[in-house]
Amino acid sequence: DAGVIQSPRHEVTEMGQEVTLRCKPISGHNSLFWYRQTMMRGLELLIYFNNNVPIDDSGMPEDRFSAKMPNASFSTLKIQPSEPRDSAVYFCASSFSSRIRGAWPLHFGNGTRLTVT
Amino acid sequence: EDKVVQSPLSLVVHEGDTVTLNCSYEVTNFRSLLWYKQEKKAPTFLFMLTSSGIEKKSGRLSSILDKKELFSILNITATQTGDSAIYLCAVNTGTASKLTFGTGTRLQVTL
């Protein structure tokens, strides 16, 4: 079991640049989540997909953030333009959920540490 | 707005001590409560609780949920330095696996 795979592990960029974070969920999982973690605010849900369809993006901070899931095995989170306050660890997580069995626990990737200077 | 509050924010104990971590919540459409352990990287799953009063146990760790009083506790007995981590509580609401997390309790176990 390869787990949730995120890339890159670390990203350092200058303010104003575009940043793209990538995620490959666990095969067979039908829900995918993007979280952001900071010391001040902890883990915050940005957006989640169910069966590749965005369900709730109310946590996306601003229009500078966008996320896509073109197929069941790949998702991206893009920040354009990036700002220093976007510096955080971004986690992708996946799970399987159904109306009958309910939700299974999330499995997290190792995160991307983003630093915007 | 869904809210999950953990206490204490941080804790330092000696190896061998027993600790109790607290999690209270105010959410709509509660489905389950989960505990995660986060060391240096990704949070790793510990327990999922859906019913009140039923203790979940794994080695030295145990957890219980009280749906009437809206809280859960995580107990760790005979702590070891390897238990040092951030312990996260999260509540699942809705039909998908959407989790609302608390800010965590940072536990440090010293020799």
Side-chain angles (χ1 to χ4, degrees), chain A residues 9 35 37 56 95 106 109, chain B residues 36 38 41-42 97-99:
Chain A
R9 296 284 295 276
Y35 280 87
Q37 187 175 38
D56 183 351
S95 75
L106 290 186
Chain B
Y36 283 81
Q38 185 177 23
K41 294 181 179 176
S97 305
K98 179 179 178 180
L99 294 181

Side-chain angles (χ1 to χ4, degrees), chain B residues 37-57:
Chain B
K37 177 182 181 182
Q38 185 177 23
E39 297 176 83
K40 293 184 178 176
K41 294 181 179 176
T44 53
F45 171 72
L46 293 175
F47 298 112
M48 183 165 76
L49 302 154
T50 55
S51 302
S52 278
I54 299 174
E55 185 183 55
K56 290 276 182 98
K57 197 170 172 63

Side-chain angles (χ1 to χ4, degrees), chain A residues 30-42:
Chain A
N30 61 356
S31 297
L32 182 140
F33 302 77
W34 283 101
Y35 280 87
R36 177 171 68 177
Q37 187 175 38
T38 60
M39 289 288 288
M40 291 295 293
R41 301 174 68 93

Side-chain angles (χ1 to χ4, degrees), chain B residues 7-71:
Chain B
S7 64
L9 292 180
S10 65
L11 192 56
V12 181
V13 301
H14 293 295
E15 203 172 40
D17 288 350
T18 293
V19 298
T20 298
L21 310 182
N22 304 293
C23 175
S24 62
Y25 60 91
E26 291 180 33
V27 301
T28 54
N29 196 18
F30 174 91
R31 290 185 65 93
S32 60
L33 185 144
L34 295 87
W35 284 96
Y36 283 81
K37 177 182 181 182
Q38 185 177 23
E39 297 176 83
K40 293 184 178 176
K41 294 181 179 176
T44 53
F45 171 72
L46 293 175
F47 298 112
M48 183 165 76
L49 302 154
T50 55
S51 302
S52 278
I54 299 174
E55 185 183 55
K56 290 276 182 98
K57 197 170 172 63
S58 175
R60 296 177 294 102
L61 277 66
S62 63
S63 183
I64 197 161
L65 172 68
D66 186 328
K67 290 168 72 173
K68 182 179 176 185
E69 299 297 330
L70 308 182
F71 78 90

Side-chain angles (χ1 to χ4, degrees), chain A residues 86-108:
Chain A
D86 301 331
S87 297
V89 179
Y90 290 81
F91 285 103
C92 176
S94 71
S95 75
F96 180 80
S97 61
S98 71
R99 289 187 183 276
I100 296 174
R101 295 198 59 175
W104 292 14
L106 290 186
H107 294 264
F108 285 81

Side-chain angles (χ1 to χ4, degrees), chain A residues 35-55:
Chain A
Y35 280 87
R36 177 171 68 177
Q37 187 175 38
T38 60
M39 289 288 288
M40 291 295 293
R41 301 174 68 93
L43 268 169
E44 300 174 280
L45 177 65
L46 300 177
I47 184 171
Y48 77 92
F49 297 83
N50 189 248
N51 295 320
N52 310 340
V53 176
I55 303 300

